[in-house]
Coordinates of all heavy atoms in Angstrom, one line a residue:
M1 N 13.3 10.6 8.8 CA 12.3 11.5 8.2 C 12.8 13.0 8.4 O 13.3 13.3 9.5 CB 11.0 11.3 8.9 CG 9.9 12.2 8.3 SD 8.2 11.9 9.0 CE 8.0 10.2 8.8
S2 N 12.7 13.8 7.4 CA 13.2 15.1 7.5 C 12.3 15.9 8.5 O 11.1 15.6 8.7 CB 13.2 15.8 6.1 OG 11.9 16.1 5.7
D3 N 12.8 17.0 9.0 CA 12.1 17.9 9.9 C 10.8 18.4 9.2 O 9.8 18.5 9.9 CB 13.0 19.1 10.4 CG 14.0 18.6 11.4 OD1 13.9 17.5 11.9 OD2 15.0 19.3 11.6
S4 N 10.9 18.8 7.9 CA 9.8 19.4 7.3 C 8.7 18.3 7.1 O 7.5 18.6 7.2 CB 10.1 20.0 5.9 OG 10.7 19.0 5.0
S5 N 9.1 17.1 6.8 CA 8.1 16.0 6.7 C 7.4 15.7 8.0 O 6.2 15.6 8.0 CB 8.8 14.7 6.2 OG 9.3 14.8 4.9
Q6 N 8.2 15.7 9.1 CA 7.6 15.5 10.4 C 6.6 16.7 10.7 O 5.5 16.5 11.2 CB 8.7 15.4 11.5 CG 8.1 15.1 12.8 CD 7.4 13.7 12.8 OE1 7.8 12.7 12.3 NE2 6.2 13.7 13.4
T7 N 7.0 17.9 10.4 CA 6.1 19.1 10.6 C 4.8 18.9 9.8 O 3.8 19.2 10.3 CB 6.9 20.4 10.2 OG1 8.1 20.5 10.9 CG2 6.0 21.6 10.4
N8 N 4.9 18.5 8.6 CA 3.7 18.3 7.7 C 2.8 17.2 8.4 O 1.6 17.4 8.4 CB 4.1 17.9 6.3 CG 4.7 19.0 5.6 OD1 4.6 20.2 6.0 ND2 5.4 18.7 4.5
L9 N 3.4 16.1 8.8 CA 2.6 15.1 9.5 C 2.0 15.6 10.7 O 0.8 15.3 11.0 CB 3.5 13.9 9.8 CG 3.9 13.0 8.6 CD1 4.9 11.9 9.0 CD2 2.7 12.4 7.8
D10 N 2.7 16.4 11.5 CA 2.1 16.9 12.7 C 0.9 17.8 12.4 O -0.1 17.8 13.0 CB 3.1 17.7 13.5 CG 4.2 16.8 14.1 OD1 3.9 15.6 14.3 OD2 5.3 17.3 14.5
A11 N 1.0 18.6 11.3 CA -0.1 19.5 10.9 C -1.3 18.7 10.5 O -2.4 19.1 10.8 CB 0.4 20.5 9.8
L12 N -1.0 17.6 9.7 CA -2.1 16.8 9.3 C -2.8 16.1 10.5 O -4.1 16.0 10.5 CB -1.6 15.7 8.3 CG -1.2 16.1 6.9 CD1 -0.5 15.0 6.2 CD2 -2.4 16.6 6.2
R13 N -2.1 15.7 11.4 CA -2.7 15.1 12.6 C -3.6 16.0 13.4 O -4.6 15.6 14.0 CB -1.6 14.5 13.5 CG -1.0 13.3 13.0 CD 0.0 12.7 14.1 NE 0.8 11.7 13.5 CZ 2.1 11.8 13.1 NH1 2.7 12.9 13.3 NH2 2.7 10.8 12.5
Q14 N -3.3 17.3 13.3 CA -4.1 18.3 14.0 C -5.3 18.7 13.3 O -6.2 19.4 13.9 CB -3.2 19.5 14.3 CG -2.1 19.2 15.3 CD -1.1 20.3 15.5 OE1 -1.4 21.5 15.2 NE2 0.0 20.1 16.1
M15 N -5.4 18.4 12.0 CA -6.6 18.8 11.2 C -7.8 17.9 11.6 O -7.7 16.7 11.9 CB -6.3 18.5 9.7 CG -5.3 19.5 9.1 SD -5.0 19.1 7.4 CE -6.5 19.7 6.6
S16 N -9.0 18.6 11.6 CA -10.2 17.8 11.8 C -10.7 17.4 10.4 O -10.2 17.8 9.4 CB -11.3 18.7 12.5 OG -11.7 19.7 11.6
D17 N -11.6 16.4 10.4 CA -12.2 16.0 9.1 C -12.8 17.1 8.3 O -12.8 17.2 7.1 CB -13.2 14.9 9.4 CG -12.6 13.6 9.8 OD1 -11.3 13.4 9.7 OD2 -13.3 12.7 10.2
D18 N -13.4 18.1 9.0 CA -14.0 19.2 8.4 C -13.0 20.1 7.7 O -13.4 20.9 6.8 CB -14.8 20.0 9.4 CG -16.0 19.2 9.9 OD1 -16.5 18.3 9.2 OD2 -16.5 19.5 11.0
D19 N -11.8 20.1 8.1 CA -10.7 20.9 7.5 C -10.2 20.4 6.2 O -9.4 21.1 5.5 CB -9.5 21.1 8.5 CG -9.9 21.9 9.8 OD1 -10.8 22.7 9.7 OD2 -9.3 21.6 10.8
I20 N -10.5 19.1 5.9 CA -9.9 18.5 4.7 C -10.7 18.9 3.5 O -12.0 18.9 3.5 CB -10.0 17.0 4.8 CG1 -9.1 16.6 6.1 CG2 -9.4 16.3 3.6 CD1 -9.2 15.1 6.4
D21 N -10.0 19.4 2.4 CA -10.7 19.8 1.2 C -10.8 18.7 0.2 O -9.8 18.2 -0.3 CB -9.9 21.0 0.6 CG -10.4 21.4 -0.8 OD1 -11.5 21.0 -1.1 OD2 -9.7 22.2 -1.4
Y22 N -12.0 18.2 0.0 CA -12.2 17.1 -0.9 C -12.7 17.5 -2.3 O -13.1 16.7 -3.1 CB -13.3 16.1 -0.3 CG -12.9 15.4 0.9 CD1 -13.3 15.9 2.2 CD2 -12.0 14.3 0.9 CE1 -13.0 15.2 3.3 CE2 -11.6 13.7 2.1 CZ -12.1 14.1 3.3 OH -11.8 13.5 4.4
T23 N -12.7 18.8 -2.6 CA -13.3 19.3 -3.9 C -12.6 18.8 -5.1 O -13.2 18.7 -6.2 CB -13.3 20.8 -3.9 OG1 -12.0 21.3 -3.7 CG2 -14.2 21.4 -2.8
D24 N -11.3 18.4 -5.0 CA -10.6 17.9 -6.2 C -10.7 16.4 -6.4 O -10.1 15.8 -7.3 CB -9.2 18.4 -6.3 CG -8.4 17.9 -5.1 OD1 -9.0 17.5 -4.1 OD2 -7.2 17.9 -5.2
I25 N -11.5 15.7 -5.5 CA -11.6 14.3 -5.6 C -13.0 13.9 -6.1 O -14.0 14.4 -5.5 CB -11.4 13.6 -4.2 CG1 -10.0 14.0 -3.6 CG2 -11.6 12.1 -4.2 CD1 -9.8 13.6 -2.2
P26 N -13.1 13.1 -7.2 CA -14.4 12.8 -7.7 C -15.2 11.9 -6.7 O -14.6 11.1 -6.0 CB -14.1 12.0 -9.0 CG -12.7 11.5 -8.8 CD -12.0 12.5 -7.9
H27 N -16.5 12.1 -6.7 CA -17.4 11.3 -5.8 C -17.4 9.9 -6.4 O -17.6 9.7 -7.6 CB -18.8 11.9 -5.8 CG -19.7 11.1 -5.0 ND1 -19.7 11.0 -3.7 CD2 -20.8 10.3 -5.4 CE1 -20.6 10.2 -3.3 NE2 -21.3 9.8 -4.3
L28 N -17.3 8.9 -5.5 CA -17.4 7.5 -5.9 C -18.7 7.0 -5.4 O -18.9 6.9 -4.2 CB -16.2 6.7 -5.3 CG -14.8 7.2 -5.7 CD1 -13.8 6.4 -5.0 CD2 -14.6 7.2 -7.2
D29 N -19.6 6.6 -6.3 CA -20.9 6.2 -5.9 C -20.9 4.6 -5.8 O -19.9 4.0 -6.0 CB -22.0 6.6 -6.9 CG -21.7 6.2 -8.3 OD1 -20.8 5.3 -8.5 OD2 -22.4 6.7 -9.2
E30 N -22.1 4.1 -5.4 CA -22.2 2.7 -5.2 C -21.8 1.8 -6.4 O -21.2 0.8 -6.3 CB -23.7 2.4 -4.8 CG -23.9 1.0 -4.2 CD -23.2 0.8 -2.9 OE1 -23.1 1.8 -2.1 OE2 -22.8 -0.3 -2.6
S31 N -22.1 2.3 -7.6 CA -21.8 1.6 -8.8 C -20.3 1.4 -9.0 O -19.8 0.4 -9.5 CB -22.4 2.2 -10.1 OG -21.7 3.5 -10.3
F32 N -19.5 2.4 -8.6 CA -18.0 2.3 -8.6 C -17.6 1.1 -7.8 O -16.8 0.2 -8.2 CB -17.4 3.5 -8.1 CG -15.9 3.4 -7.9 CD1 -15.0 3.5 -9.0 CD2 -15.3 3.0 -6.7 CE1 -13.6 3.3 -8.8 CE2 -14.0 2.9 -6.5 CZ -13.1 3.0 -7.6
F33 N -18.1 1.0 -6.5 CA -17.7 -0.1 -5.6 C -18.2 -1.4 -6.0 O -17.6 -2.5 -5.8 CB -18.1 0.3 -4.2 CG -17.3 1.4 -3.6 CD1 -17.8 2.7 -3.6 CD2 -16.0 1.3 -3.2 CE1 -17.1 3.8 -3.1 CE2 -15.2 2.3 -2.8 CZ -15.8 3.6 -2.7
N34 N -19.4 -1.5 -6.7 CA -19.9 -2.7 -7.2 C -19.0 -3.3 -8.3 O -19.0 -4.5 -8.5 CB -21.3 -2.5 -7.7 CG -22.3 -2.3 -6.6 OD1 -22.1 -2.7 -5.5 ND2 -23.4 -1.7 -6.9
R35 N -18.4 -2.4 -9.1 CA -17.5 -2.9 -10.2 C -16.0 -3.0 -9.8 O -15.2 -3.6 -10.5 CB -17.5 -1.8 -11.3 CG -18.9 -1.8 -12.1 CD -18.9 -0.8 -13.2 NE -19.0 0.5 -12.6 CZ -18.2 1.6 -12.8 NH1 -17.2 1.5 -13.6 NH2 -18.4 2.7 -12.2
A36 N -15.7 -2.6 -8.6 CA -14.3 -2.6 -8.1 C -13.8 -4.1 -7.9 O -14.6 -5.0 -7.6 CB -14.2 -1.9 -6.8
E37 N -12.5 -4.3 -8.2 CA -11.9 -5.6 -8.1 C -10.7 -5.4 -7.2 O -9.9 -4.5 -7.4 CB -11.5 -6.2 -9.4 CG -12.6 -6.5 -10.4 CD -12.1 -7.1 -11.7 OE1 -11.0 -7.6 -11.7 OE2 -12.9 -7.0 -12.7
L38 N -10.4 -6.4 -6.4 CA -9.2 -6.4 -5.6 C -8.1 -7.0 -6.5 O -8.2 -8.1 -7.0 CB -9.3 -7.3 -4.3 CG -8.1 -7.5 -3.5 CD1 -7.6 -6.2 -3.0 CD2 -8.3 -8.5 -2.4
R39 N -7.0 -6.2 -6.6 CA -5.9 -6.7 -7.4 C -4.6 -6.6 -6.5 O -4.3 -5.6 -6.0 CB -5.7 -5.8 -8.7 CG -6.8 -6.0 -9.6 CD -6.6 -5.3 -10.9 NE -7.7 -5.5 -11.8 CZ -7.7 -5.2 -13.1 NH1 -6.6 -4.8 -13.6 NH2 -8.7 -5.4 -13.8
I40 N -3.9 -7.7 -6.4 CA -2.8 -7.8 -5.6 C -1.5 -7.9 -6.5 O -1.5 -8.8 -7.4 CB -2.8 -9.0 -4.7 CG1 -4.1 -8.9 -3.8 CG2 -1.6 -9.1 -3.9 CD1 -4.4 -10.1 -3.0
P41 N -0.6 -6.9 -6.4 CA 0.6 -7.0 -7.3 C 1.3 -8.3 -7.1 O 1.4 -8.9 -6.0 CB 1.4 -5.8 -6.8 CG 0.5 -4.9 -6.1 CD -0.6 -5.8 -5.5
A42 N 1.9 -8.8 -8.1 CA 2.6 -10.2 -8.1 C 3.6 -10.2 -7.0 O 3.8 -11.2 -6.4 CB 3.1 -10.5 -9.5
A43 N 4.3 -9.1 -6.8 CA 5.4 -9.1 -5.8 C 4.9 -9.4 -4.4 O 5.5 -9.9 -3.6 CB 6.2 -7.8 -5.9
Q44 N 3.6 -8.9 -4.2 CA 3.1 -9.1 -2.9 C 2.3 -10.5 -2.8 O 2.2 -11.0 -1.7 CB 2.1 -8.0 -2.6 CG 2.7 -6.7 -2.4 CD 1.7 -5.6 -2.1 OE1 0.5 -5.8 -2.1 NE2 2.2 -4.4 -1.9
A45 N 1.9 -11.0 -3.9 CA 1.1 -12.2 -3.8 C 1.8 -13.4 -3.2 O 1.2 -14.3 -2.6 CB 0.6 -12.6 -5.2
Q46 N 3.1 -13.4 -3.3 CA 3.9 -14.5 -2.8 C 3.8 -14.6 -1.3 O 4.1 -15.6 -0.7 CB 5.4 -14.3 -3.2 CG 6.0 -13.0 -2.6 CD 7.4 -12.8 -3.1 OE1 8.1 -13.8 -3.3 NE2 7.9 -11.6 -3.2
F47 N 3.3 -13.6 -0.6 CA 3.2 -13.6 0.8 C 1.8 -14.0 1.3 O 1.6 -14.0 2.5 CB 3.6 -12.2 1.4 CG 5.0 -11.8 1.1 CD1 5.3 -10.8 0.2 CD2 6.0 -12.5 1.7 CE1 6.6 -10.4 -0.1 CE2 7.3 -12.1 1.4 CZ 7.6 -11.1 0.5
L48 N 0.9 -14.3 0.4 CA -0.4 -14.6 0.8 C -0.6 -16.1 0.9 O -1.0 -16.8 0.1 CB -1.4 -14.1 -0.2 CG -1.5 -12.6 -0.4 CD1 -2.4 -12.1 -1.5 CD2 -1.8 -11.9 0.9
V49 N -0.2 -16.6 2.1 CA -0.3 -18.0 2.4 C -1.0 -18.1 3.8 O -0.7 -17.4 4.7 CB 1.1 -18.6 2.5 CG1 1.0 -20.1 2.9 CG2 1.8 -18.5 1.2
R50 N -2.0 -19.0 3.8 CA -2.7 -19.2 5.1 C -2.0 -20.3 5.9 O -1.8 -21.4 5.4 CB -4.1 -19.6 4.8 CG -5.0 -18.6 4.3 CD -6.4 -19.1 4.0 NE -7.1 -18.2 3.3 CZ -8.2 -17.5 3.7 NH1 -8.6 -17.7 4.9 NH2 -8.8 -16.6 2.9
L51 N -1.6 -19.9 7.1 CA -0.9 -20.8 8.0 C -1.7 -20.9 9.3 O -2.3 -19.9 9.8 CB 0.5 -20.4 8.3 CG 1.4 -20.2 7.1 CD1 2.7 -19.5 7.6 CD2 1.7 -21.5 6.5
D52 N -1.8 -22.1 9.8 CA -2.5 -22.3 11.1 C -1.7 -21.5 12.2 O -0.5 -21.5 12.2 CB -2.5 -23.8 11.5 CG -3.4 -24.6 10.6 OD1 -4.3 -24.0 10.0 OD2 -3.3 -25.8 10.5
P53 N -2.4 -20.9 13.1 CA -1.8 -20.1 14.2 C -0.7 -20.9 15.0 O 0.4 -20.3 15.3 CB -2.9 -19.7 15.1 CG -4.1 -19.8 14.3 CD -3.9 -20.9 13.3
D54 N -0.9 -22.2 15.2 CA 0.1 -22.9 16.0 C 1.4 -23.1 15.2 O 2.5 -23.1 15.8 CB -0.4 -24.3 16.4 CG -0.8 -25.2 15.3 OD1 -1.4 -24.6 14.3 OD2 -0.7 -26.4 15.4
I55 N 1.3 -23.2 13.9 CA 2.5 -23.3 13.0 C 3.3 -22.0 13.1 O 4.5 -21.9 13.3 CB 2.1 -23.6 11.6 CG1 1.6 -25.1 11.5 CG2 3.3 -23.5 10.6 CD1 1.0 -25.5 10.2
V56 N 2.6 -20.8 12.9 CA 3.3 -19.5 13.0 C 3.9 -19.3 14.3 O 5.1 -18.9 14.4 CB 2.3 -18.4 12.7 CG1 2.9 -17.0 12.9 CG2 1.7 -18.5 11.3
K57 N 3.2 -19.7 15.4 CA 3.8 -19.5 16.8 C 5.0 -20.3 16.9 O 6.0 -19.9 17.5 CB 2.7 -20.0 17.8 CG 2.1 -19.0 18.6 CD 1.1 -19.6 19.6 CE 0.9 -18.6 20.7 NZ -0.2 -19.1 21.6
W58 N 5.1 -21.6 16.4 CA 6.2 -22.4 16.5 C 7.4 -21.8 15.8 O 8.5 -21.7 16.4 CB 5.9 -23.8 15.9 CG 7.1 -24.8 16.2 CD1 7.2 -25.6 17.3 CD2 8.2 -25.0 15.3 NE1 8.4 -26.3 17.1 CE2 9.0 -26.0 15.9 CE3 8.6 -24.5 14.1 CZ2 10.2 -26.4 15.4 CZ3 9.8 -25.0 13.5 CH2 10.5 -25.9 14.2
F59 N 7.2 -21.3 14.6 CA 8.3 -20.6 13.9 C 8.7 -19.4 14.6 O 9.9 -19.1 14.7 CB 7.9 -20.4 12.4 CG 8.1 -21.6 11.5 CD1 7.1 -22.4 11.2 CD2 9.4 -21.9 11.0 CE1 7.2 -23.5 10.4 CE2 9.5 -23.0 10.2 CZ 8.5 -23.8 9.9
Q60 N 7.8 -18.6 15.1 CA 8.1 -17.3 15.8 C 9.0 -17.6 17.0 O 9.8 -16.8 17.4 CB 6.9 -16.6 16.2 CG 6.2 -15.9 15.0 CD 4.9 -15.3 15.4 OE1 4.2 -15.7 16.3 NE2 4.5 -14.2 14.6
A61 N 8.7 -18.7 17.7 CA 9.5 -19.1 18.9 C 10.9 -19.4 18.6 O 11.8 -19.5 19.5 CB 8.8 -20.3 19.6
H62 N 11.2 -19.7 17.3 CA 12.6 -20.0 16.9 C 13.4 -18.8 16.3 O 14.4 -19.0 15.7 CB 12.5 -21.2 15.9 CG 12.2 -22.5 16.6 ND1 10.9 -22.8 16.8 CD2 12.9 -23.5 17.0 CE1 10.8 -24.0 17.4 NE2 12.1 -24.4 17.6
G63 N 12.9 -17.7 16.4 CA 13.6 -16.5 16.0 C 12.8 -15.4 15.4 O 11.7 -15.7 14.9
T64 N 13.4 -14.2 15.3 CA 12.7 -13.1 14.8 C 12.6 -13.2 13.2 O 11.7 -12.6 12.6 CB 13.4 -11.8 15.1 OG1 14.7 -11.8 14.6 CG2 13.3 -11.5 16.6
Q65 N 13.4 -14.0 12.6 CA 13.4 -14.2 11.2 C 12.5 -15.4 10.8 O 12.9 -16.2 9.9 CB 14.8 -14.3 10.6 CG 15.7 -13.2 11.0 CD 15.3 -11.9 10.3 OE1 14.9 -11.9 9.1 NE2 15.4 -10.8 10.9
Y66 N 11.4 -15.5 11.5 CA 10.6 -16.7 11.3 C 10.0 -16.9 9.9 O 9.9 -18.0 9.4 CB 9.4 -16.7 12.3 CG 8.3 -15.7 12.1 CD1 7.2 -16.0 11.4 CD2 8.5 -14.4 12.6 CE1 6.2 -15.1 11.1 CE2 7.5 -13.4 12.4 CZ 6.4 -13.8 11.7 OH 5.4 -12.8 11.4
Q67 N 9.8 -15.8 9.2 CA 9.4 -15.9 7.8 C 10.4 -16.5 6.9 O 10.1 -17.3 6.1 CB 9.0 -14.5 7.3 CG 7.7 -14.0 7.9 CD 7.4 -12.6 7.6 OE1 8.3 -11.8 7.3 NE2 6.2 -12.2 7.5
D68 N 11.7 -16.2 7.2 CA 12.8 -16.9 6.5 C 12.9 -18.3 6.8 O 13.2 -19.2 6.0 CB 14.1 -16.2 6.8 CG 14.2 -14.8 6.3 OD1 13.5 -14.4 5.3 OD2 15.0 -14.0 6.9
L69 N 12.6 -18.7 8.1 CA 12.6 -20.1 8.5 C 11.5 -20.9 7.8 O 11.7 -22.0 7.4 CB 12.4 -20.2 10.0 CG 13.6 -19.6 10.9 CD1 13.2 -19.7 12.3 CD2 14.8 -20.4 10.6
I70 N 10.3 -20.2 7.7 CA 9.2 -20.9 7.0 C 9.6 -21.1 5.5 O 9.3 -22.2 5.0 CB 7.9 -20.1 7.1 CG1 7.4 -20.0 8.6 CG2 6.8 -20.6 6.2 CD1 6.3 -19.0 8.8
N71 N 10.2 -20.1 4.9 CA 10.6 -20.2 3.5 C 11.6 -21.3 3.3 O 11.5 -22.1 2.4 CB 11.1 -18.9 3.0 CG 11.3 -18.9 1.5 OD1 10.3 -19.0 0.8 ND2 12.5 -18.7 1.1
A72 N 12.6 -21.4 4.3 CA 13.6 -22.4 4.2 C 13.0 -23.8 4.3 O 13.4 -24.8 3.6 CB 14.7 -22.2 5.2
A73 N 12.0 -24.0 5.2 CA 11.4 -25.3 5.4 C 10.6 -25.7 4.2 O 10.6 -26.8 3.8 CB 10.4 -25.2 6.6
L74 N 9.9 -24.7 3.6 CA 9.2 -25.0 2.4 C 10.1 -25.4 1.2 O 9.8 -26.3 0.4 CB 8.3 -23.9 2.0 CG 7.1 -23.6 2.9 CD1 6.4 -22.3 2.6 CD2 6.1 -24.7 2.8
R75 N 11.2 -24.7 1.1 CA 12.2 -24.9 0.1 C 12.8 -26.3 0.2 O 13.0 -27.1 -0.7 CB 13.3 -23.9 0.0 CG 14.3 -24.1 -1.1 CD 15.2 -22.9 -1.3 NE 14.5 -21.7 -1.6 CZ 13.9 -21.4 -2.8 NH1 14.0 -22.3 -3.8 NH2 13.3 -20.3 -3.0
E76 N 13.1 -26.7 1.5 CA 13.7 -28.0 1.7 C 12.7 -29.1 1.3 O 13.1 -30.1 0.7 CB 14.1 -28.2 3.2 CG 14.7 -29.5 3.5 CD 15.1 -29.7 4.9 OE1 15.3 -28.7 5.6 OE2 15.2 -30.8 5.4
H77 N 11.4 -28.9 1.7 CA 10.4 -29.9 1.3 C 10.3 -29.9 -0.2 O 10.2 -31.0 -0.8 CB 9.1 -29.5 1.9 CG 8.0 -30.4 1.6 ND1 7.8 -31.6 2.2 CD2 7.0 -30.4 0.6 CE1 6.8 -32.3 1.7 NE2 6.3 -31.5 0.7
M78 N 10.3 -28.8 -0.9 CA 10.2 -28.7 -2.3 C 11.3 -29.5 -3.0 O 11.1 -30.2 -4.0 CB 10.2 -27.3 -2.8 CG 10.0 -27.1 -4.3 SD 10.1 -25.3 -4.7 CE 11.9 -25.0 -4.6
T79 N 12.5 -29.3 -2.5 CA 13.7 -29.9 -3.2 C 13.9 -31.4 -2.9 O 14.6 -32.1 -3.6 CB 15.0 -29.2 -2.8 OG1 15.2 -29.2 -1.4 CG2 15.0 -27.7 -3.3
T80 N 13.2 -31.9 -1.9 CA 13.4 -33.3 -1.5 C 12.2 -34.1 -2.0 O 12.2 -35.3 -1.8 CB 13.6 -33.5 0.0 OG1 12.4 -32.9 0.7 CG2 14.8 -32.8 0.5
H81 N 11.2 -33.5 -2.6 CA 10.0 -34.2 -3.0 C 9.7 -34.0 -4.5 O 9.8 -33.2 -5.1 CB 8.8 -33.8 -2.2 CG 8.8 -34.3 -0.8 ND1 9.5 -33.6 0.2 CD2 8.4 -35.5 -0.2 CE1 9.4 -34.3 1.3 NE2 8.8 -35.4 1.1

């Protein structure tokens, strides 16, 4: 990160909520949130898989690249069935 970016982040961290100017942001009322929908980009959707905690722990115990190991196990199952 550049020095100027770090300086900007430091300045933001020092701001209080009262110092933030919200005048250029439209107010979002209850009706906005009632109509809102969660949309997950397709590139991210591939990572939304529910796994039991013990399964994740087992893969994590076999290396830091445990997500790659899970993918390889699923691919092997897919190609053999």
Side-chain angles (χ1 to χ4, degrees):
M1 183 178 306
S2 71
D3 289 341
S4 63
S5 293
Q6 186 61 45
T7 302
N8 292 342
L9 288 175
D10 291 340
L12 286 173
R13 286 188 192 103
Q14 293 174 15
M15 291 177 73
S16 71
D17 288 348
D18 293 334
D19 294 332
I20 301 172
D21 177 11
Y22 294 104
T23 58
D24 61 340
I25 302 172
H27 176 71
L28 303 177
D29 60 12
E30 194 67 30
S31 67
F32 171 84
F33 291 101
N34 289 337
R35 291 179 285 127
E37 293 180 22
L38 175 62
R39 294 188 180 193
I40 301 170
Q44 292 178 358
Q46 64 184 327
F47 299 110
L48 298 178
V49 176
R50 291 179 191 247
L51 301 172
D52 293 337
D54 59 325
I55 292 172
V56 175
K57 254 182 158 172
W58 187 88
F59 277 97
Q60 286 174 330
H62 288 82
T64 57
Q65 302 294 322
Y66 69 95
Q67 291 171 328
D68 293 335
L69 293 173
I70 293 170
N71 191 62
L74 291 170
R75 181 169 302 285
E76 181 178 338
H77 181 80
M78 181 183 76
T79 57
T80 59
H81 289 87

